[in-house]
Amino acid sequence: MSSMSEEADPSESHAAARNAAAGTLPGRVTFNRFELHRILNLYGRMVADGEWRDYAIDFLRDRAVFSVFRRASEVPIYRIEKDPRLARKQGIYSVISATGLILRRGHELDRVLLVIDRKLAVV
C-alpha cells in the first residue's frame, strides 16, 4: 500500500503526456507561408491547364512533402520535398518524379520549381 501512495499523482502523468505530445509538434518539418504560397501558385496554374488534379501535404518528423497527382487514385507524379538535413549539402528542396528520380535539388525553392514550372517563353 505504501508503494501506491508514493507513486506520482495521476494528474501529473497526464500533464507529462500533454507536454510530450506538445513537444512532438515543433519537431515536425513544415512549409512556411512563402513556400506554400509559391507551391500553391504553381499548383493553381497547372490545375488551370488541366495537368494536375489533386495534391497532398505531409508534415513528417524529418521532412515536409507536397505531392501532386494527376488523378487521386494514382501515385504522385511529382513530390516537392523540404529536408532540412540537406541544407548544408545539396540543398533543402528537391523535386522528385513518380519513379523516384530526383529532377532537381537546391537551396532556393524558386530555382528548384523551375524544372516543373513551364512558363511560356517569348520567342
Side-chain angles (χ1 to χ4, degrees):
M1 281 197 167
S2 64
S3 64
M4 284 291 237
S5 61
E6 292 176 4
E7 288 184 20
D9 183 34
S11 62
E12 291 177 8
S13 65
H14 291 300
R18 264 194 317 253
N19 290 340
T24 58
L25 291 177
R28 295 185 190 273
V29 178
T30 61
F31 292 109
N32 63 30
R33 182 181 293 230
F34 167 75
E35 294 163 342
L36 274 177
H37 182 274
R38 177 64 178 99
I39 292 170
L40 288 173
N41 192 11
L42 171 63
Y43 175 78
R45 280 188 276 121
M46 296 304 247
V47 167
D49 290 343
E51 294 188 34
W52 297 351
R53 296 191 187 263
D54 200 9
Y55 72 92
I57 301 176
D58 297 313
F59 298 126
L60 306 173
R61 189 175 301 251
D62 58 340
R63 68 186 187 277
V65 182
F66 187 94
S67 303
V68 177
F69 298 88
R70 192 166 307 229
R71 290 184 181 76
S73 63
E74 296 180 351
V75 296
I77 54 175
Y78 295 112
R79 289 189 334 250
I80 302 164
E81 293 192 1
K82 177 182 179 180
D83 191 349
R85 295 176 299 172
L86 300 174
R88 294 183 182 235
K89 296 179 183 175
Q90 301 154 342
I92 194 169
Y93 304 105
S94 59
V95 174
I96 303 170
S97 70
T99 60
L101 178 69
I102 298 174
L103 300 176
R104 185 172 283 180
R105 182 176 279 163
H107 298 283
E108 297 175 18
L109 181 61
D110 288 334
R111 293 182 57 103
V112 171
L113 290 179
L114 286 176
V115 73
I116 54 177
D117 191 4
R118 300 180 192 101
K119 294 182 181 175
L120 295 176
V122 178
V123 179

